[in-house]
Amino acid sequence: MAKALIRITAAAFNKSIEYALHDPPDWEASSAKIRRAISRLPQGTLYPSDHGRTVEFYVSVDGKQRHISKDAATIHNLAKKKYLCILLDILLLTNSTRKKDIQRRHKLIERLKKLIETFERGKLDLRQIVLTNQQYHWFTGEFVRKRIDADKAIRTACGILVRSKSERDIVNYSEGLAVPLHYEERMLVYVKPLVDELERELKQEGLFNRELYRYINGNINWNVPPEYAWINTRGSIWKSYHPPTGKIMIFNDFRIMLADGSILIHEHSGLMSKFRYRQNETERIAVMKITGSVDRNHLIETYEQEIDTPEKLIDIIEKYILPRLWF
């Protein structure tokens, strides 16, 4: 079991939300969702009193103010409410071309950034404020990930062990834009219909007249003709096939939960010049698509040349992740 180690700092989130607000994909739907979230939060308005080194928190309800600096749960809920209220005001001004509205929107973004910085100085957990409850529990919970040899791994800035410099860059730049993610999280995919189809194909072609596989003590060996031998090679997803459940294990490079609760999968193919790697990587992505485990709106595929500069990588994160991550 593992836990996500990505940190959300005020500086990273403020940079991220500013990118995301450049062109929100559906500000009306996002505004409606934010209103619903606000309606479920406690009554009252949070007032942080920033003394530089320390921040005190007060709540005002029906004109009465009281000190709540020791009530962490209430502080986080009201901090989320304050954050969402400002974000809602910003989104409502998104399409306005009036000069006053444009200026007000800019001021609100600056106000939001200062608020997040104040929350950080007040030692609040920013994840509880800027993430939905579903996102927060998913990102901070434990998950099953692929084993990695520490001697051959590369460590990211936040301490995650990854397999390549490109993956290290993806994690580091994601953290720099406050994008929480799970690295190599296990996904179980039901593939028995594909296995049955393979058996039918082999029989029709006259290439098969015995059991398709042998499954002993948790290990599987496929009895296939030489032209299909790659499914028995190291790294093949088919080596994880579990006949009792009809499932295989796929370890996605990166998984990100979006604001609507759906999972965005980012697969980075780094060694495509190597035939076996290319075969296994292509098959893995194809199986996810064929089984409906992922659709085109929730899959990002990148290759080495597409992220070989910081600008290219940031552009991908800014376009395909940030607007769907925060609202």
Side-chain angles (χ1 to χ4, degrees), residues 296-310:
R296 67 177 62 192
N297 293 321
H298 290 83
L299 177 65
I300 299 173
E301 297 177 68
T302 56
Y303 299 90
E304 287 294 287
Q305 66 271 21
E306 294 176 310
I307 64 164
D308 57 4
T309 67

Side-chain angles (χ1 to χ4, degrees), residues 169-170 173 306-307 309-317:
D169 291 343
I170 291 171
Y173 281 105
E306 294 176 310
I307 64 164
T309 67
E311 292 77 17
K312 289 181 182 179
L313 181 51
I314 290 173
D315 186 58
I316 289 171
I317 296 173

Side-chain angles (χ1 to χ4, degrees), residues 113-147:
K113 291 162 71 172
K114 288 180 181 178
L115 181 69
I116 296 299
E117 291 168 359
T118 299
F119 288 159
E120 185 176 66
R121 283 198 297 277
K123 303 189 185 305
L124 299 188
D125 183 351
L126 296 182
R127 297 172 303 178
Q128 291 187 49
I129 297 167
V130 303
L131 299 175
T132 67
N133 290 337
Q134 188 177 9
Q135 283 177 312
Y136 174 76
H137 290 299
W138 189 80
F139 286 132
T140 58
E142 293 186 340
F143 62 95
V144 178
R145 62 164 290 182
K146 197 172 186 177
R147 291 183 181 179

Side-chain angles (χ1 to χ4, degrees), residues 5 41 51 75 87 90 95-96 109 204 298 321 327:
L5 300 175
L41 292 168
H51 304 290
I75 292 172
L87 181 58
I90 293 169
N95 288 336
S96 177
I109 291 174
Q204 287 174 0
H298 290 83
I321 300 175
F327 39 80

